[in-house]
Amino acid sequence: MGARSGNNYLTALRKLNAETYLSGERVGDVTIHPAFQNCARSIASLYDMQMEHPEAMTFRTEDGGRAGMSFIQPRNSDELRKRSRMMKSWADYGCGFLGRTPDYLNVSIAAMAAAHEFFGESDPRFGRNIQDYYRNARDHDWCATHTLVNPRASRAQGWAGHTDADLALKLVDKTDKGIIVSGCRMLATLAPMSEELLVFPSTVLKAEPAAEPFALSFAIQCNTKGLKFLCRDPYDLGRSKFDHPLSSRFEEMDCVVIFDGVEVPWERVFLCGDVARCNALYAATNAVVHMMHQVVVKNVAKSEFLLGLVARIAEVSDAMALQHVRERLAETIMTVETMRSSLRAAEADASLDKWGVCAPARPPLDTARNLFPHLYPRLVEIIQLNSSSSLMATPSEADFTNSNERPYIDRYFGTADANARDRVALYRLAWDVACSSFGGRQVLYERFFFGDPVRMASALVDNTDLKPLTDRVQSFLTRLD
Ligand SMILES: Cc1cc2nc3c(=O)[nH]c(=O)nc-3n(C[C@H](O)[C@H](O)[C@H](O)COP(=O)(O)OP(=O)(O)OC[C@H]3O[C@@H](n4cnc5c(N)ncnc54)[C@H](O)[C@@H]3O)c2cc1C
């Protein structure tokens, strides 16, 4: 089939009927459920963009069909930049607030398939499996979620390689047909709107036989028997797009994932029991770099949108001349430019990796992904500081239709630069970024979704060649003149 339409996606989702629970009830058809339907429609719109702009958003596959551009295995920097532009269009559609547009995982599957030898060295079947899975995912244009982190009951054993054996997802049996897994994984964002669940290792496992049952990498359909998704409270409260401009469109949902004796067919297993390869997977296949690429594109889109918002708030409140407002605007501009520069540098310094894929340079992307968890909460703080009580002076859409209230709203809420309705719409948007549960979750997401910031910083140190610089310092110290 190749690149799909939004309608194709919604039809597939309707048929899926995965075992998803929300507020004590089994969710039926997510495409008409109030908590999920709007986000499902937003994802569908992303797929429709592929239909509307095939040249920009799809590529020709070896069999002559057209697949979504995020599945491309870029062989040169032109293809990499095309993918980047396509990802930017999707990120802009969600104003950066849809973190899990399907490209996030598509780029990682593409990278892993290109690095199939990495899996094949563990077991030749696994090398073929990842290639077949990539082609299937690409040709069906599947929407996937993923889950990496095991839950933890206690930190008593420290974090380096210890899993809580009774909680964590683990291998319990092997049959002719596949592997049987049970246990729990913390969080799969977008799970109710996804068709596929990718299970990859994240936490570094200890190199010891006891860790082998936890060393797993596979993919399953979200409606596989024994697989259950437990949702948090929804932030789409069914209000109008005027009232909740972001949460009524981009509520991705996060779920805890329960595996109760789930059978994973052998053809969907990519690694099993290979601790060393599980620990090396993301770096060795370069999947992490391609995911960082998608993430930094999203960071550009999100920070640009917030810069527009901060600037518009300054205009509407007639505060553009105030020095502290300008200083905060400058800070927001610096965030945008830092993300743009990192992206541009990574693409300018892209090179072919050992798998023949054109990969963006890691250091600028790594810098951006380490910075953004610190910069994003500050952007939200700037919106709060520059808006203050206007974030609370936000009558709802219904208030505008009430003839008793309307004259007062029109009289007291307008500014020199915006009528009452435009001003309220703006501050409702600012509220959804900076004060709502949706906005709070966005801050948490940016702090943690790509991993624990402490370990991400540590990886940056590991991946930076410090020797030439320490040598330079040493050499300076020994200079006699
Ligand atoms: C909104 C959201 C969406 C997410 N979506 C997904 C998803 O779709 N798929 C997925 O796989 N994961 C997802 N995650 C999970 C994410 O990968 C993890 O949050 C991240 O890896 C950190 O792990 P953790 O939450 O277990 O934090 P922990 O490891 O429990 O860390 C919590 C805090 O304690 C600190 N800490 C932990 N151990 C120590 C120690 N020994 N010493 C000192 N400090 C310590 C950490 O630095 C951190 O500040 C999501 C997270 C969020 C918040």
Side-chain angles (χ1 to χ4, degrees):
M1 179 189 82
R4 71 188 338 180
S5 65
N7 204 27
N8 176 285
Y9 161 71
L10 291 173
T11 305
L13 206 55
R14 206 168 288 128
K15 285 188 193 148
L16 196 70
N17 194 25
E19 198 175 337
T20 304
Y21 293 92
L22 171 68
S23 306
E25 286 181 4
R26 169 107 190 240
V27 173
D29 179 356
V30 295
T31 67
I32 51 168
H33 189 288
F36 308 109
Q37 60 183 359
N38 288 327
C39 185
R41 276 186 211 137
S42 293
I43 302 286
S45 301
L46 301 177
Y47 286 122
D48 279 337
M49 287 165 79
Q50 297 187 144
M51 300 290 103
E52 288 152 17
H53 309 285
E55 278 308 316
M57 307 211 59
T58 67
F59 69 103
R60 210 162 274 295
T61 56
E62 63 286 347
D63 55 12
R66 291 205 87 94
M69 185 68 83
S70 55
F71 283 106
I72 199 169
Q73 293 168 322
R75 301 295 173 190
N76 53 52
S77 52
D78 264 5
E79 291 183 350
L80 187 73
R81 286 203 170 88
K82 269 190 176 171
R83 183 179 78 176
S84 181
R85 284 195 292 274
M86 173 264 149
M87 296 194 300
K88 181 68 167 33
S89 306
W90 274 8
D92 279 338
Y93 177 85
C95 315
F97 292 98
L98 264 180
R100 295 305 167 82
T101 47
D103 48 345
Y104 179 67
L105 290 172
N106 295 351
V107 300
S108 76
I109 300 167
M112 288 183 201
H116 57 91
E117 286 163 29
F118 172 83
F119 300 88
E121 281 163 16
S122 186
D123 182 325
R125 286 178 300 173
F126 298 160
R128 289 193 296 275
N129 290 352
I130 191 75
Q131 284 178 291
D132 290 347
Y133 185 77
Y134 161 68
R135 272 190 291 270
N136 259 324
R138 183 195 71 183
D139 294 347
H140 290 91
D141 215 356
W142 281 330
C143 179
T145 179
H146 77 326
T147 190
L148 310 174
V149 182
N150 288 311
R152 212 188 279 265
S154 155
R155 290 187 195 286
Q157 291 180 302
W159 75 7
H162 289 281
T163 48
D164 189 319
D166 294 331
L167 310 179
L169 176 70
K170 64 172 181 248
L171 176 77
V172 292
D173 202 2
K174 288 182 185 177
T175 68
D176 290 348
K177 288 193 201 148
I179 60 173
I180 313 290
V181 296
S182 277
C184 179
R185 280 275 169 108
M186 284 285 273
L187 294 203
T189 297
L190 201 75
M193 278 73 80
S194 301
E195 298 154 285
E196 289 281 314
L197 172 67
L198 309 179
V199 178
F200 290 122
S202 148
T203 315
V204 175
L205 294 164
K206 278 209 156 183
E208 58 186 27
E212 286 171 10
F214 304 97
L216 296 164
S217 169
F218 60 82
I220 42 174
Q221 288 180 292
C222 287
N223 61 358
T224 304
K225 189 162 173 284
L227 183 66
K228 299 156 208 299
F229 297 109
L230 275 49
C231 300
R232 58 159 166 76
D233 283 357
Y235 304 144
D236 181 351
L237 303 179
R239 299 282 292 274
S240 72
K241 296 204 163 31
F242 179 90
D243 285 351
H244 293 181
L246 298 174
S247 35
S248 64
R249 292 174 165 99
F250 308 133
E251 153 61 322
E252 298 179 307
M253 183 51 76
D254 308 285
C255 297
V256 170
V257 191
I258 311 288
F259 301 77
D260 187 3
V262 171
E263 183 177 78
V264 184
W266 277 116
E267 59 271 20
R268 282 168 160 266
V269 178
F270 312 133
L271 288 173
C272 182
D274 189 336
V275 173
R277 255 163 229 283
C278 274
N279 285 341
L281 186 148
Y282 272 105
T285 61
N286 247 350
V288 69
V289 175
H290 292 280
M291 292 173 88
M292 282 185 212
H293 190 213
Q294 190 273 354
V295 164
V296 177
V297 169
K298 180 269 298 167
N299 293 352
V300 172
K302 198 167 193 170
S303 54
E304 284 176 348
F305 188 77
L306 291 200
L307 174 57
L309 180 58
V310 174
R312 185 67 191 134
I313 287 168
E315 285 172 1
V316 163
S317 55
D318 200 14
M320 204 48 116
L322 301 179
Q323 286 307 314
H324 61 284
V325 170
R326 296 179 75 78
E327 193 181 8
R328 290 173 194 151
L329 253 171
E331 210 180 323
T332 313
I333 292 167
M334 287 185 266
T335 297
V336 171
E337 288 304 327
T338 305
M339 291 303 126
R340 282 181 182 160
S341 315
S342 303
L343 182 61
R344 181 183 258 241
E347 290 175 1
D349 292 348
S351 59
L352 279 189
D353 66 13
K354 67 185 275 202
W355 313 110
V357 177
C358 182
R362 178 168 177 152
L365 297 181
D366 224 343
T367 300
R369 77 151 172 165
N370 271 278
L371 270 175
F372 206 64
H374 303 283
L375 298 177
Y376 183 76
R378 173 63 181 154
L379 298 188
V380 168
E381 187 183 23
I382 285 172
I383 288 167
Q384 289 180 350
L385 292 172
N386 285 8
S387 307
S388 63
S389 61
S390 290
L391 293 168
M392 301 293 108
T394 44
S396 69
E397 189 168 35
D399 291 316
F400 279 91
T401 60
N402 181 319
S403 55
N404 290 328
E405 295 173 75
R406 181 70 193 250
Y408 297 109
I409 295 173
D410 283 341
R411 179 167 173 199
Y412 293 120
F413 284 75
T415 70
D417 197 85
N419 65 32
R421 196 178 168 90
D422 289 349
R423 178 204 157 138
V424 170
L426 178 72
Y427 282 107
R428 280 201 158 267
L429 172 61
W431 165 85
D432 223 0
V433 174
C435 300
S436 70
S437 353
F438 176 90
R441 183 260 177 199
Q442 288 284 328
V443 172
L444 191 72
Y445 182 83
E446 293 300 350
R447 286 189 200 278
F448 284 111
F449 83 95
F450 215 172
D452 164 31
V454 175
R455 278 167 275 182
M456 284 201 319
S458 187
L460 180 58
V461 175
D462 285 343
N463 287 312
T464 305
D465 183 7
L466 298 172
K467 184 81 172 58
L469 304 180
T470 53
D471 282 353
R472 200 192 296 175
V473 171
Q474 277 301 98
S475 137
F476 172 77
L477 290 174
T478 53
R479 238 165 52 192
L480 296 175
D481 57 334

